[in-house]
Amino acid sequence: MVQKYQSPVRVYKYPFELVMAAYEKRFPTCPLIPVFIGSDIIYEHKSDDGSLHVVERSCKLNVDAPRLLKKIAGVDFIYFIQKNTLNWKDRALLIEARNETFSTRVLVNETCSYSVHPDNEEWTCFEQSASLDIKSFFGFESTVEKIAMKQYTANIKRGKEVIEHYLNELISQGITHIPRWTPGASVGYLHVSRTATIGHLCSIETPGIELEASSSPLQLWGETAGHTQAPEQDGDKLEAEYIERYLGHLTPMQESTLIHLRQWLQETHKGKIPKDEHILRFLRAWDFNMEKAREMLCQSLSWRKQYQVDYILQTWHPPPIFEEYYAGCWHYHDRDGRPLYILRLGQIDTKGLLKAVGEEAILRHVLSINEEGQRRCEENTHLCGSPIRSWTCLVDLEGLNMRHLWRPGVKALLRIIEVVEANYPETLGRLLIVRAPRVFPVLWTLISPFINENSRRKFLIYSGNNYQGPGGISDYLDKEIIPDFLGGESMCNIPEGGLVPKSLYQSDDDAETSDHIRLWTETIYHSAFIYKGAPHEIAAEILEVESVITWDFDVLRGDVLFSLFHSKRAPEVRQKDPASVNNVQLMDKNWVLGADYKMLEAPLVCREGESIQGSHVTRWPGFYILQWKMHSPSSGSSMARVDDVLASLQGSSHKCKVMYYFEVLASEDFRGSMSSLESCSGFSQLSGVTNSSNKSHSSSVISR
């Protein structure tokens, strides 16, 4: 397998001529580079005007490898051929190296260059690229590769230190300026035959890697002196100083992986490519496995483009209901400089909010929070003077109970987690969960399998008042930052939350159309209008007995009768109410009760404003039909059909409205979910079983 390395641009803030003078001091031998034993010039050429000098050397290196490996290989030293081309006119030095020893078994190639900084002619840039390919090495290919990569990465940093050492030595001797080359003039005391060595190169350090020069520079952004904010994305190089300042410490191979992935994006993706910190998050998520990070990143970039997520902070305007009932906001930062987001989940009527704005709006709001978090991380990086890569979330669970764990809500939560995990890896630095109640382990059991291990390690969970005192949140937040409702000194401008009025409920079916492409293709809750004599019906085909049909609906207008039927006949959509596309009838008017279908439960009277949850364990295969129809004191057991009352409907404005959800589960999947289906929208209301039947194994719960 070919191993490749590409360095960022390392900047010496000294003129090219002075750097070359420091570089010359490394020869003929250098005590700071013990692996370099010596070299012999095998070819030399100098142009007539002295502007170009080419030197080719045979370099002797002592590889730090186990004695046994050297004995098997039959060598104590390794030889490399190095060609240096120094151009005084262009102020550039090109170093090309390849291995001579074991050249049929191991391919090592490296290219290094010194050149003038494009933005400051008094600075010098250094770059190197390398590749190593072990064809065969006496059965020790893997061992040799590991030794090579370890020595190579160790010497990359050492090479920069050597140049800086000799630069300081020159300055201490009073040499701070060397004149530039001009036609007919000499170049001071610099001798071209002593301009380069392979001591700092990867060749010896990386036996077994085909060290080849990168085909083209990577489009990344450089850094110039005095920057107080990240450079604009108009450069074509990534500088080492920029990485340290804005991205954090990376090992040489991590730097190389970042550069290679950035280069690949530049070559394959037209237009603007992601910021470096964004690419780095995907690499960190996969421990710098480039192939896996690239696949995940490409999928995310496609997702962002499809749904225009890059513009969400400019285009997303939360519905007014969020200002009062969504108890979350940004609040200063933690002790590490991370932006802090506070969410009082226990105070949010999650069920009411989902029914009021729909899952699409909630998902967009969560995405906007993540986008804002990344923006604040960049801002804090500039303010703190060190890289801030992630943000902290403080979640207060006081008030959390079983109402938060009803099945449709958990389904929406898992979908949101899936989207965030796939597109915002390594953006959450720490999650502080405080005042976790007894019901929290139930929620954690449901959601933890969908959170990756890296993210789970960042969770700190405190029950009761354990968040106070040593080891609590004060270890991560300054007292003047901790919100007053948690015993701190800061007033937190966070909405109160509370119960969402049912008058604000609307399903996605009712929501106004948006210019945005929908992120959520399937709606959890649907709504239906019910007219006198025109019931709304939905059917579930059951193939295996003991499946569980679950339902959860709200009566938003009028009073309705809810019934459950079973039929062996397949129902068909006979007619949709002309006044509402959300009204469907399935059972034919000629069907006979007791012959074509049967009632599994007596009709349940559901009053306006009530929430009903229930379930039914099926006993027979066939079709199970859930029916809602308008309730009136004169309602009988017979089923009036649409065509019998069509004339009266045209002149009547009376109608009922329900918002409903239903799902069919295998019995083993339903175990443990009963309580979640019996949750209510209120904060303190009591729920009671109003109707149950042992014969039908069904029950419904009403919340008023």
Side-chain angles (χ1 to χ4, degrees):
M1 177 180 175
V2 178
Q3 296 282 347
K4 293 185 177 182
Y5 171 78
Q6 172 66 55
S7 78
V9 179
R10 306 194 185 278
V11 178
Y12 299 98
K13 297 182 180 180
Y14 298 94
F16 176 80
E17 289 74 19
L18 193 63
V19 172
M20 289 297 98
Y23 190 56
E24 179 222 6
K25 282 182 166 288
R26 298 168 52 166
F27 306 101
T29 59
C30 177
L32 299 178
I33 312 175
V35 296
F36 182 67
I37 306 302
S39 62
D40 296 317
I41 296 177
I42 58 178
Y43 171 78
E44 183 174 5
H45 168 73
K46 189 174 183 180
S47 64
D48 294 339
D49 61 359
S51 64
L52 185 66
H53 195 173
V54 180
V55 178
E56 193 167 339
R57 292 184 179 87
S58 175
C59 301
K60 184 179 180 181
L61 306 173
N62 183 14
V63 179
D64 183 16
R67 183 64 189 172
L68 177 60
L69 186 59
K70 288 186 176 182
K71 186 175 181 180
I72 293 174
V75 297
D76 289 323
F77 306 101
I78 292 178
Y79 290 87
F80 274 77
I81 302 300
Q82 181 191 25
K83 179 182 178 182
N84 300 322
T85 304
L86 177 60
N87 190 322
W88 289 111
K89 181 179 180 181
D90 294 338
R91 304 177 76 197
L93 170 64
L94 176 64
I95 306 168
E96 300 168 285
R98 57 181 173 81
N99 63 307
E100 187 176 30
T101 306
F102 304 121
S103 59
T104 60
R105 296 176 177 270
V106 179
L107 301 177
V108 181
N109 292 282
E110 183 182 40
T111 300
C112 301
S113 66
Y114 288 88
S115 60
V116 177
H117 195 288
D119 298 325
N120 190 329
E121 63 178 14
E122 296 301 316
W123 292 354
T124 304
C125 296
F126 172 75
E127 294 179 78
Q128 64 189 116
S129 60
S131 68
L132 175 133
D133 185 12
I134 301 179
K135 302 296 185 181
S136 64
F137 204 86
F138 312 104
F140 290 90
E141 291 80 9
S142 178
T143 301
V144 171
E145 182 176 311
K146 290 179 181 178
I147 294 173
M149 296 308 300
K150 180 180 179 181
Q151 291 190 342
Y152 179 57
T153 54
N155 282 309
I156 289 172
K157 182 179 180 181
R158 187 60 177 162
K160 186 174 188 292
E161 294 173 350
V162 169
I163 294 295
E164 291 174 342
H165 170 81
Y166 286 124
L167 281 168
N168 291 331
E169 185 176 283
L170 286 170
I171 294 172
S172 68
Q173 296 171 358
I175 303 173
T176 59
H177 175 72
I178 297 176
R180 297 183 186 179
W181 175 90
T182 56
S186 63
V187 197
Y189 65 89
L190 290 179
H191 302 292
V192 191
S193 61
R194 301 169 61 193
T195 56
T197 182
I198 196 165
H200 72 292
L201 301 183
C202 68
S203 43
I204 159 155
E205 281 84 60
T206 48
I209 327 183
E210 179 195 318
L211 300 170
E212 66 183 25
S214 293
S215 58
S216 60
L218 182 60
Q219 182 190 4
L220 291 167
W221 316 306
E223 177 186 20
T224 56
H227 272 177
T228 58
Q229 60 182 14
E232 295 297 327
Q233 303 178 34
D234 55 359
D236 61 353
K237 303 288 183 181
L238 179 63
E239 294 184 4
E241 189 175 348
Y242 161 83
I243 293 177
E244 193 74 24
R245 169 64 177 83
Y246 294 102
L247 303 182
H249 175 72
L250 299 177
T251 67
M253 294 311 296
Q254 288 174 342
E255 289 176 339
S256 177
T257 304
L258 170 62
I259 291 172
H260 278 127
L261 180 52
R262 197 69 168 79
Q263 182 179 23
W264 181 86
L265 288 169
Q266 173 64 23
E267 294 171 351
T268 58
H269 286 63
K270 303 303 180 182
K272 185 178 179 180
I273 57 178
K275 296 181 179 179
D276 298 302
E277 54 265 37
H278 190 74
I279 299 174
L280 194 55
R281 289 187 179 103
F282 286 83
L283 287 170
R284 291 186 187 278
W286 287 104
D287 196 24
F288 286 85
N289 182 311
M290 180 172 166
E291 296 302 320
K292 292 182 178 180
R294 180 170 62 186
E295 180 181 358
M296 183 183 185
L297 177 57
C298 287
Q299 291 176 352
S300 179
L301 292 177
S302 177
W303 171 82
R304 296 180 70 88
K305 182 177 181 180
Q306 179 180 355
Y307 298 110
Q308 302 178 344
V309 179
D310 287 339
Y311 308 102
I312 197 167
L313 290 180
Q314 293 78 35
T315 59
W316 168 244
H317 304 290
I321 192 172
F322 276 89
E323 297 178 5
E324 183 175 355
Y325 297 103
Y326 188 86
C329 72
W330 291 100
H331 185 72
Y332 300 105
H333 53 78
D334 67 8
R335 288 190 168 181
D336 296 322
R338 296 188 181 106
L340 174 65
Y341 189 83
I342 297 179
L343 180 66
R344 302 194 71 181
L345 182 60
Q347 301 302 310
I348 299 178
D349 179 11
T350 52
K351 187 172 186 177
L353 199 61
L354 180 63
K355 291 184 176 183
V357 300
E359 52 269 35
E360 173 79 14
I362 292 177
L363 177 56
R364 284 194 178 273
H365 194 61
V366 170
L367 295 183
S368 71
I369 291 172
N370 278 272
E371 291 292 314
E372 175 66 15
Q374 292 184 114
R375 189 194 66 79
R376 288 174 179 258
C377 285
E378 294 179 23
E379 187 176 84
N380 284 17
T381 293
H382 309 326
L383 295 175
C384 296
S386 59
I388 304 297
R389 301 189 300 263
S390 56
W391 49 283
T392 292
C393 186
L394 172 63
V395 180
D396 180 16
L397 294 184
E398 184 185 47
L400 185 81
N401 56 40
M402 294 306 295
R403 79 175 186 276
H404 293 88
L405 306 183
W406 92 112
R407 191 170 183 84
V410 173
K411 184 177 180 180
L413 176 60
L414 295 180
R415 167 62 174 152
I416 291 172
I417 290 175
E418 178 185 1
V419 172
V420 172
E421 288 278 287
N423 298 285
Y424 299 93
E426 297 299 311
T427 55
L428 182 64
R430 184 179 293 121
L431 181 65
L432 303 171
I433 299 176
V434 300
R435 300 200 280 194
R438 291 182 178 180
V439 73
F440 175 72
V442 179
L443 177 62
W444 182 246
T445 300
L446 292 172
I447 68 174
S448 60
F450 297 88
I451 303 173
N452 68 49
E453 183 61 30
N454 285 343
S455 297
R456 287 202 298 269
R457 285 197 291 264
K458 300 170 184 176
F459 283 49
L460 297 172
I461 304 171
Y462 303 92
S463 61
N465 294 322
N466 292 339
Y467 67 91
Q468 299 176 340
I473 61 175
S474 60
D475 288 2
Y476 308 101
L477 307 176
D478 292 328
K479 189 172 183 180
E480 58 269 22
I481 296 298
I482 297 176
D484 58 325
F485 57 82
L486 293 179
E489 301 176 354
S490 179
M491 294 296 293
C492 186
N493 186 25
I494 193 169
E496 291 291 333
L499 183 63
V500 178
K502 292 189 177 182
S503 60
L504 298 179
Y505 283 9
Q506 63 171 2
S507 73
D508 280 1
D509 295 332
D510 305 321
E512 294 181 3
T513 57
S514 171
D515 293 336
H516 300 295
I517 302 172
R518 291 182 61 85
L519 287 157
W520 201 299
T521 56
E522 294 183 4
T523 252
I524 291 180
Y525 281 94
H526 300 270
S527 63
F529 289 105
I530 302 161
Y531 297 89
K532 185 176 181 180
H536 179 70
E537 298 165 345
I538 56 176
E541 183 178 7
I542 302 298
L543 302 177
E544 298 182 6
V545 297
E546 296 190 352
S547 296
V548 182
I549 303 174
T550 65
W551 55 83
D552 174 14
F553 65 89
D554 291 89
V555 183
L556 303 182
R557 183 188 303 177
D559 299 337
V560 300
L561 288 176
F562 173 70
S563 304
L564 180 65
F565 301 97
H566 173 263
S567 174
K568 294 181 180 180
R569 297 179 59 179
E572 297 181 7
V573 178
R574 293 294 178 181
Q575 184 168 349
K576 290 186 177 181
D577 184 274
S580 173
V581 296
N582 295 333
N583 181 277
V584 178
Q585 296 181 47
L586 300 175
M587 292 188 291
D588 191 275
K589 66 178 182 179
N590 296 320
W591 281 15
V592 178
L593 182 64
D596 298 298
Y597 67 101
K598 59 183 176 182
M599 183 177 293
L600 299 179
E601 186 175 355
L604 178 67
V605 178
C606 307
R607 303 295 182 182
E608 181 175 324
E610 289 182 342
S611 296
I612 295 89
Q613 299 82 36
S615 61
H616 176 85
V617 181
T618 63
R619 300 180 64 183
W620 310 281
F623 297 89
Y624 288 76
I625 301 170
L626 287 70
Q627 182 196 75
W628 295 267
K629 72 176 187 177
M630 182 178 290
H631 170 70
S632 63
S634 60
S635 296
S637 59
S638 60
M639 298 176 54
R641 306 310 300 174
V642 171
D643 45 352
D644 296 330
V645 295
L646 189 55
S648 62
L649 284 178
Q650 294 174 350
S652 174
S653 61
H654 297 291
K655 60 183 177 182
C656 300
K657 182 182 180 182
V658 295
M659 178 185 294
Y660 65 90
Y661 159 87
F662 88 102
E663 185 177 4
V664 178
L665 302 169
S667 57
E668 59 269 20
D669 296 332
F670 183 73
R671 291 175 187 147
S673 300
M674 183 69 75
S675 58
S676 68
L677 288 164
E678 295 178 353
S679 63
C680 64
S681 296
F683 282 76
S684 60
Q685 290 91 337
L686 296 177
S687 298
V689 177
T690 60
N691 190 304
S692 64
S693 171
N694 292 330
K695 293 182 180 180
S696 64
H697 300 274
S698 64
S699 64
S700 293
V701 177
I702 300 178
S703 303
R704 291 181 171 84

